[in-house]
Amino acid sequence: MNNPHLPFNCTSVELEKEAIKRLRTLVSLLPSQCRIFREPWDCSTVICLDFAQCPHLLNVIQEQEPLLINAIQELGLANSIIFRIGQKSIGWKAIPRLE
């Protein structure tokens, strides 16, 4: 299944890593200490941004919500964003579908 023309291996783990890497590239203001991952919620997928290692940057990033939404829409990664500090959810935003 590996395509020699792709810059990464075609496994689900590698595709997930590449998607997160591309999100970080599109939203360069995301701190490297912010953990980014996707998780399923019912019939949806959410992007989780965990600021446990950099809680002081959460408000700054939340102010850039439109940039995050645009990047997630462009990559087709999720239906919502959850902002967290560890296991505590701090904020949530639905991502409108592009028509």
Side-chain angles (χ1 to χ4, degrees), residues 12-44:
S12 59
V13 172
E14 290 300 316
L15 288 172
E16 189 73 14
K17 286 179 186 177
E18 184 65 22
I20 299 302
K21 178 180 162 188
R22 289 182 185 188
L23 178 62
R24 282 193 183 277
T25 299
L26 288 175
V27 187
S28 59
L29 61 101
L30 283 170
S32 60
Q33 306 94 329
C34 176
R35 184 172 165 240
I36 303 172
F37 57 98
R38 296 190 316 158
E39 57 180 44
W41 278 38
D42 293 327
C43 296
S44 298

Side-chain angles (χ1 to χ4, degrees), residues 37-56:
F37 57 98
R38 296 190 316 158
E39 57 180 44
W41 278 38
D42 293 327
C43 296
S44 298
T45 301
V46 298
I47 288 283
C48 299
L49 303 176
D50 186 352
F51 290 85
Q53 299 298 316
C54 54
H56 59 286

Side-chain angles (χ1 to χ4, degrees), residues 29-98:
L29 61 101
L30 283 170
S32 60
Q33 306 94 329
C34 176
R35 184 172 165 240
I36 303 172
F37 57 98
R38 296 190 316 158
E39 57 180 44
W41 278 38
D42 293 327
C43 296
S44 298
T45 301
V46 298
I47 288 283
C48 299
L49 303 176
D50 186 352
F51 290 85
Q53 299 298 316
C54 54
H56 59 286
L57 297 174
L58 174 62
N59 290 336
V60 173
I61 301 303
Q62 280 184 306
E63 290 172 4
Q64 300 300 320
E65 193 175 273
L67 178 61
L68 283 167
I69 289 172
N70 287 338
I72 291 168
Q73 283 176 324
E74 184 176 325
L75 294 170
L77 292 178
N79 304 85
S80 301
I81 305 171
I82 295 178
F83 298 93
R84 291 182 175 173
I85 296 179
Q87 293 298 315
K88 183 177 180 183
S89 294
I90 305 299
W92 172 83
K93 178 69 178 177
I95 298 175
R97 290 181 182 240
L98 294 176

